[in-house]
Amino acid sequence: MIHQITDAALLATLKEGVKKATDVIARVTDYRGGPVTTEYLLTADIARELIEQDYQVKVECLNRNLVNGMTQKAAAVRKSLGSCRTDIAVWQNEIIPLAIIEIKIGVKTLKKIAEDLEKITGTIDMLKSQYASRVVGASVFQVHVEGNDKRSDVPKLTAAIEKIEKKLETALRDHEKAKSGFSFAMHPLQPANAGVVGRELEGDEDELSWGLHGHATRFYAVLIRSTKPAITTPGLQGLKERSQE
């Protein structure tokens, strides 16, 4: 029985899920690659990878099922979650949340994933501290830069996506300062330089012509942890909770 997911274990799983999705895109584009154009493909491949590693997974999970009668704070207003859903939830015994994962494509600024960050931290904030301290949140997202006549080779495409990456990291540090009680860490989900394809020459030696423009398509995850200390529930209620683990 899995009681907790380490950051390293989750990152390894997310990387494999992303690889499943990018391998599919590679096959259908004659190995030029390109962006994932529907979040569902990325969600399905990450969920499948988690299931293959024996995690208990639910896609499109209602957040009020994560903040349930056992895990919620006494003061938590569970009704405020309404029909709010998490793209992928990992939990123990379908009671205790272990990971809350949101997926986004088309990201170039932190604003695009800000709502997901708030959804994750807001849900974790409604949990009793002993459960909140165990949950890892993950905002998984794709950044895509299209090539053009001025930005056609690998170095220029790499520079363009690195510029976006630096802006995201800077904005995330500012977000963390404004969001006390949580840590935020951004991680690449691919090897260095993966997903960057320059414009290629086509034809034979006697008649070469430029082919399609290249692109830079890369994937990242922001891992989120509560930094508030865990408080163990004393007495009979504490024993009851631990018996469920």
Side-chain angles (χ1 to χ4, degrees), residues 147-184:
N148 53 41
D149 289 340
K150 293 183 179 180
R151 188 174 59 208
S152 60
D153 59 18
V154 168
K156 288 180 180 177
L157 287 164
T158 300
I161 208 159
E162 285 178 348
K163 184 177 179 180
I164 293 171
E165 182 180 328
K166 288 177 182 177
K167 284 184 177 179
L168 285 165
E169 289 176 333
T170 298
L172 188 64
R173 286 195 294 271
D174 291 338
H175 182 83
E176 184 176 48
K177 290 175 184 176
K179 194 73 178 178
S180 63
F182 290 93
S183 66
F184 301 82

Side-chain angles (χ1 to χ4, degrees), residues 7 11 117 136-139 141 169 172-173 176 182-189 220-225:
D7 290 2
L11 283 171
L117 299 180
V136 55
S139 172
F141 60 92
E169 289 176 333
L172 188 64
R173 286 195 294 271
E176 184 176 48
F182 290 93
S183 66
F184 301 82
M186 183 168 147
H187 302 268
L189 296 178
Y220 305 86
V222 173
L223 295 193
I224 304 158
R225 290 280 189 182

